[in-house]
Structure formats: structure tokens, C-alpha cells
Amino acid sequence: MAIASIAVLGGCSNEPAGPPKSPYEVLQAKISKEAVTAMTRADYGKTYSRLGARQFDNANALMPWAAIAAAESDQCNRVELVAVSDKATRKELQWFVDCANKERFQIKQAQAEAARGKYDPAASPEAKQAAQQVGKAEPKSARWKDFNMATAMTSCTTLVRSAMLNQGSFDTAWSYDSEKNDDTGIVTIQQDFEAQNGFGGTISSRYHCEIDTKLAGRVTKLKIREPDGWRNLI
């Protein structure tokens, strides 16, 4: 009797396993039930005025697909919030999507439409084909995956040093200020420095350097502070 009981508890069930989930169902499971909330004109009057009736309705229709577009990424563990971005216009919609792991995605209209084309059974053959031409969304943090602050600062200080009359006297402060713009990919670095002027005296100044990550980390703007204002080097 005891053996029979053990066999029942530990044996394998003969019940058939449920059907495997579709790719759409897998992605839908990554989206919180509260993440997508349709907008109303009463609550989103300014957005309605900015987008117009057609795009306002389109924004609501595509919002669930914007969530799917973000959920496609392995870097989003769970979609928690989807909302129309301030950058959305009557010509192009955009949403921001926040994930539980603090990653944020900026989903463009083409990406939401591509998600619908790939996973909506009612999508037309043309929509399905167009969807294959749109790349998967990446979080804003992905912009910085190849960025190295030390390398960027070296690029800036090398250019500033080359503009000094006495390059050997160029010396930077140990601290610096920096700012990363997730939207433009521009990194701004400011740092104080000292160097000798042509008369052997010491000058104290500051440089302002901008680096564009879209251009392989190239310095696109460089200026130094002088007594009468900023002087552009680049």
C-alpha cells in the first residue's frame, strides 16, 4: 500500500501537456496588465490638440503594439508603462516604454506598426513584408554600450593641449562635469585646467567639449573659456 502511494505521488502524469505558447503570447506575458491604458480626449486634451483626431486614435490603436515592440528586446524584463511621448507629432507617433528593470525604450510609429505586422493575424501581406524591414527596438541605454568616458576625455584634453602655446604645462583638474543626452547621443564634458601663457604666467581656464556617439565618438564642438568669453576651437 505504501509503495502504491509513492508511485502515485512521484509518478509521471499521463495528461497531455498544453499547446506551446505562440511568439505573441510569450511577448504578451511580459506586459503588465496595467501598462497599456487608452487615452481619452477629456483626460488628454493637450495631446489630442497636438496630434489631431486621426493620430490620437492611431496612438491608442498602436499603443499595445508599442508595448510588444519593447517586449521583443531581451533587455526589457517586463513592460510596466506605455505612454505617448512629447515627441509624437501628427506626422510620426512615438511612445516611451518603461520596463521593470529600469530600461526605457523610445518606440517610433514604424516600430509599433512593424510589431503589429509581425504578430497580428489580421495583418495584410504587405504589412507583414514591411515589418521585416524594421529593426528591433533597443533601450536608450544601448546608445552607451560602446562609449568609454576615459577615451572621450582623452580626445578632449588632447585637442585642448594641442591649442596651448606651452603644451607641456597643460594640466587638468582631477574632477570634471559630464552630461549624456539619451536622445541625441551627445556627451558634454567640462573640466578646469591650467597652462602657461606666452609670458610664462599661469592661466586658469575651462574647456567645454561635445562628443557625438553617432559619429564614432568624434569631438564635434570644443571651446575654452578666456577672459573675454568662450573661444571656439572646433
Side-chain angles (χ1 to χ4, degrees), residues 192-209:
D192 294 329
F193 69 89
E194 291 185 345
Q196 288 185 356
N197 58 25
F199 302 99
T202 299
I203 60 171
S204 297
S205 186
R206 185 175 180 86
Y207 72 77
H208 173 107
C209 184

Side-chain angles (χ1 to χ4, degrees), residues 78-128:
R78 183 173 179 82
V79 173
E80 295 290 339
L81 176 66
V82 185
V84 173
S85 169
D86 290 340
K87 296 181 179 180
T89 67
R90 297 189 179 206
K91 292 184 177 180
E92 182 189 33
L93 293 172
Q94 290 191 41
W95 301 260
F96 66 82
V97 179
D98 288 339
C99 301
N101 58 348
K102 307 303 181 183
E103 293 286 8
R104 169 167 283 197
F105 290 72
Q106 192 78 16
I107 304 298
K108 295 184 178 181
Q109 183 169 339
Q111 292 172 317
E113 290 173 344
R116 182 172 62 182
K118 283 187 282 187
Y119 301 108
D120 186 353
S124 67
E126 293 78 14
K128 293 180 179 179

Side-chain angles (χ1 to χ4, degrees), residues 67-222:
I68 290 291
E72 279 190 299
S73 172
D74 293 336
Q75 297 180 68
C76 178
N77 62 341
R78 183 173 179 82
V79 173
E80 295 290 339
L81 176 66
V82 185
V84 173
S85 169
D86 290 340
K87 296 181 179 180
T89 67
R90 297 189 179 206
K91 292 184 177 180
E92 182 189 33
L93 293 172
Q94 290 191 41
W95 301 260
F96 66 82
V97 179
D98 288 339
C99 301
N101 58 348
K102 307 303 181 183
E103 293 286 8
R104 169 167 283 197
F105 290 72
Q106 192 78 16
I107 304 298
K108 295 184 178 181
Q109 183 169 339
Q111 292 172 317
E113 290 173 344
R116 182 172 62 182
K118 283 187 282 187
Y119 301 108
D120 186 353
S124 67
E126 293 78 14
K128 293 180 179 179
Q129 184 176 5
Q132 302 307 315
Q133 309 304 315
V134 180
K136 288 186 178 181
E138 289 190 325
K140 288 191 171 184
S141 64
R143 184 183 292 280
W144 311 109
K145 61 184 178 182
D146 296 323
F147 175 75
N148 183 284
M149 182 61 77
T151 300
M153 291 190 66
T154 298
S155 298
C156 294
T157 55
T158 297
L159 290 171
V160 176
R161 179 184 289 107
S162 67
M164 300 294 104
L165 293 175
N166 188 337
Q167 297 183 19
S169 67
F170 178 78
D171 184 35
T172 57
W174 65 271
S175 63
Y176 63 91
D177 298 316
S178 65
E179 181 180 352
K180 295 178 180 178
N181 189 312
D182 287 331
D183 296 323
T184 64
I186 299 293
V187 182
T188 302
I189 301 173
Q190 292 197 40
Q191 188 176 31
D192 294 329
F193 69 89
E194 291 185 345
Q196 288 185 356
N197 58 25
F199 302 99
T202 299
I203 60 171
S204 297
S205 186
R206 185 175 180 86
Y207 72 77
H208 173 107
C209 184
E210 294 183 10
I211 292 176
D212 193 337
T213 58
K214 300 190 302 298
L215 300 176
R218 191 172 74 193
V219 176
T220 55
K221 186 174 183 179
L222 180 64

Side-chain angles (χ1 to χ4, degrees), residues 19-36:
K21 291 184 177 180
S22 68
Y24 172 76
E25 290 173 323
V26 172
L27 295 175
Q28 190 63 42
K30 291 178 64 178
I31 301 173
S32 170
K33 293 181 180 180
E34 298 79 22
V36 179

